[in-house]
Each structure stands twice: as C-alpha cells, then as structure tokens.
Amino acid sequence: SSHFWVKFRKGRDNAPYRFLVAVSLLRAYAMALLLRFASCLGVAYCTCAASTCTEGGLCATGSGQDPVALMQLKSKVKKGGSGSQRAMKASEFSPVGRTLISTDPARSAKFFLDYFDAREVQAPACFHQTVKVVEVQSGWGTTFTYVFVQDVKLNQGNLNSSALVAEVEAKMDDVFAGRDGLYNAWIDNHDGFNQTSFKYKKALDDGVQMAIFDWTLTKEVFGIVRFLIPSTLFTFEIVAPKIVLDQYNLPEMISDDCRDDASMPAPHDVFGATVTWFKTTMMAPKPGVAGQWAKDIMGLEDYPAPFPWPPAEGCTEAVWTIDPESSYMLHFVLSAQFQSSQELSSEKGLVAEFVDQVYSFRNLGAGAFDHFMLNNLILRVDSLDPFLHRIQAKGHPFLLTRVGEEYALFLDIPQNAQTVQLRSTHVSVSEPKVVEGVCLV
C-alpha cells in the first residue's frame, strides 16, 4: 500500500527503488506493445473485411461490395487453399493469375476496375503486343492477377481470335436473350471464385449481362453466377449465397444437361469456404484425357462430377479433379449439345474443330510460342523440378523460359489445347529458352 511505497521512496538511489522503477518501465513497455498489436489486428481485420462488405453499407469498411463477410466467417476454414499463407510442399501449387487474349485490353481491364476491388498494375514496356494488367482483391487478404494481351503477330494458323471473340460476344447475347438455348460451350472456359468483391448492383445498373446458371444442393444454398469478360473468349464465375443474390433478381439460365447434383458429395469445404479461387473449368473435347493429365502431372485426384460417366448421348461430359490439400479443382467439360458456331462450323462440333486447328500449328516442344498460348492459367509452385520430371517421364512437350526473376514453365494439356503456366523461382533439371515475339508479365 502507500506505507510500502513510502518505505522505498526514502532512498531514491537504493537498490529496491531502482528495481521497482525498472519493473514499472517494463510493464509500461509491455502494455504499449500489446496496444500496438491490438491496433495491428484491427487494421488487418478491416483489410480482410474490406473486400466483403455490402453495397448498402452494412460494413464500416470497403467501398460497395456484397454482404458475404458473415457468411465466410461462419464457414468451416479449410486447411490450405489458394488464400493460404502456409508453405507449399515441393509438388503443390496455388492459382495466382491468368493471361487472356483480348481484342481490347483497356476495355477488359476496365471491367475489373469498375466492378471489382481492383487496381491497374503497370505492365512492362512491350513492342510486340498491347498489354493491360489488373490486380484484384479476392477476399481474406488474397489477390489474383489478370493480364490482357492484344496480339496480331504470333502464329494462329487459319484461326482468327478477333472473329472468335466477336462470335462469343454474340453467342452470349443470344443466350441472355433466349435466342439460342440457355448455354454455349464457350461458357465452359472460366475460373470460379467464392463470392469476391464483385459489385452486382453497379454492374446491373450499367447493363452488364449476368445470370445464375445453377444452384447448389447444400444446406446453405449458393448460386453459380457467370458473365463474359469483355473482349475475351472467357467467362467468369462467382459462387455466392442465395440470400445475397435474391436481392438482384438475376435471370436463371439452367439448361437440361443431365446434371445430377443430388448424387454429389456435400461440397461444404468448397462453396462458401475461405478458399477464394476454388476452381478452373476448361472447355475440352476429351475430358477424360485432360483429367488423366491433371492426375499424372499436377498430382490431383478424381472428384465426382454431377454428369453421367461414361458419357451419355445428349448429356454434358465432365471430369472433375481436386487437390485434397487445398480443395482447388480443375474441371474439364464438353458441352456437346451446345456447340452452335459459324466460325467453327464442323460435324465434329466447335470444340473439337477449334482444338484440331490449334494443333495444326502448335509446336511447344520446338520452343514456339503460339497465339492461343496467351490464354493460360498461372499456377505458382515452390519448384518446377517435380513437374518437369513428370512431364519428361510422360514424353509431353513443354516450354521453359524466364519472366523477370522467375521461371515460367508452359504446359499443353494433351488433345485439349489448353495451356497451363507454372511459375517458380527454382528449377535445376532443365535450362530456360529465350522466347521471341511475346510479352510475358
């Protein structure tokens, strides 16, 4: 008490007094550190939450997103995931971005700047192509990068990507207008994200066409929303809670494709979880071949798809694969019954015709980078070595080059003409080649 304190005050220079002062200072310093730590936690929480606030201002931070923060916080946290900061094992990978052919890179980039929590990234000076880059906040402190490239010099054989983009835009208009069924095979090219910072109301007010293409059969129902990325051959998918989507009255484009979600395992660790970029779907004339490649080269495992297998006539063909550590999935899909096309008119269907034409000029093994390799999925890995060992063991072609301080390994998914790019700072079993005539970011 006070008597105790006075006894020590009798000699400012005695040892007990000095000891007490030292203890007091240590306590004050410790308290300051705790306050600073608490402040940092508050900032970190606001940063994470900023990409998941509502357009109506339900969250104190952010700038007009949708009400999914509470949904995410209540969801089960899945080990790992594309948003995880844990160290990767040697053969693991994480999706970090995509490069897309665009007939108007500025328009494609503006779409993300307008309707996502995104910023433009300065692209390197390039004399070969026109390039725009955006970095997009995808929630939980994670980002992804989309690179849009306009190119007229790389080999594209008899194909014309500008004409194809125009046709895809026209086909999407037909789908939304109900003039050509409820689907088209080009829609199968997309990445899938859980919720994100997409500004539905602003996009709808600006006339952006979007629709719900399916509902999940889960306890908490989620809608699968897709829309076209302007001036490209790709769409974009967002999975969001039904209670969020109901306020926007989006049209439903649910086609008769033999989908049977009731037979699926409950995807609670995928839809609504903290894995932000949870899948990539690729248009594929031979889904079975692509799925085997994903298992052999990427180390993925089979995951039940909601479509008949072996394939049934008149039904969508699909092979789904999954990384059990992160829940990230690769889907390979042939929507055989939705292949109307004027640019790729063939008895084989537009998907097989497109792939056959790409392989008429693709020469990856010779180090040739062709035009349609600009459409590629970018996955980050710890080292390229285990993937190169697998590729070489299977005899598949590859192209290894450098992009800045990193190595980039370009892979072709056999018989499907889809390109995957693996990025890493480490490789020891192969030498990179110089790639001419292409701007890599």
Side-chain angles (χ1 to χ4, degrees), residues 109 113 118-122 131-135:
L113 297 173
R119 68 182 185 93
E120 185 171 353
V121 178
Q122 186 65 42
V131 180
K132 289 288 184 180
V133 184
V134 291
E135 181 185 77

Side-chain angles (χ1 to χ4, degrees), residues 189-346:
N189 279 328
H190 59 261
D191 300 307
F193 289 80
N194 268 314
Q195 301 158 16
T196 80
S197 60
F198 187 68
K199 302 170 185 175
Y200 292 89
K201 186 176 185 304
K202 177 175 172 52
L204 289 169
D205 288 346
D206 291 346
V208 174
Q209 293 181 318
M210 68 184 82
I212 295 166
F213 284 84
D214 201 9
W215 295 102
T216 65
L217 288 181
T218 49
K219 184 176 181 180
E220 181 183 357
V221 178
F222 292 81
I224 298 174
V225 180
R226 293 183 190 140
F227 44 80
L228 180 68
I229 301 174
S231 304
T232 76
L233 298 171
F234 278 67
T235 56
F236 195 95
E237 176 180 299
I238 299 173
V239 176
K242 184 177 186 297
I243 61 172
V244 172
L245 296 176
D246 283 348
Q247 64 185 298
Y248 301 117
N249 297 314
L250 299 178
E252 295 185 12
M253 302 290 180
I254 300 176
S255 56
D256 183 10
D257 55 6
C258 309
R259 186 178 180 115
D260 178 19
D261 286 306
S263 64
M264 295 281 292
H268 299 304
D269 294 334
V270 178
F271 299 129
T274 57
V275 181
T276 52
W277 187 342
F278 75 94
K279 67 126 178 188
T280 291
T281 297
M282 298 181 180
M283 181 178 77
K286 297 185 178 180
V289 175
Q292 190 62 49
W293 176 91
K295 292 185 288 184
D296 292 343
I297 306 304
M298 303 307 300
L300 301 188
E301 298 179 1
D302 285 317
Y303 189 88
F307 302 99
W309 195 270
E313 185 176 354
C315 296
T316 293
E317 300 178 27
V319 170
W320 289 11
T321 58
I322 189 170
D323 175 7
E325 286 291 321
S326 69
S327 292
Y328 175 73
M329 305 172 99
L330 285 177
H331 295 180
F332 306 101
V333 180
L334 174 61
S335 296
Q337 66 276 46
F338 303 109
Q339 297 195 78
S340 63
S341 174
Q342 287 73 49
E343 290 295 323
L344 295 167
S345 180
S346 168

Side-chain angles (χ1 to χ4, degrees), residues 384 399-403 406-410 421-424:
L384 296 176
L399 173 59
L400 177 64
T401 188
R402 290 193 71 108
V403 180
E406 293 185 307
Y407 297 97
L409 176 63
F410 288 88
Q421 179 189 166
L422 304 184
R423 286 285 186 95
S424 178

Side-chain angles (χ1 to χ4, degrees), residues 120-131:
E120 185 171 353
V121 178
Q122 186 65 42
C126 180
F127 301 103
H128 307 291
Q129 288 96 17
T130 301
V131 180

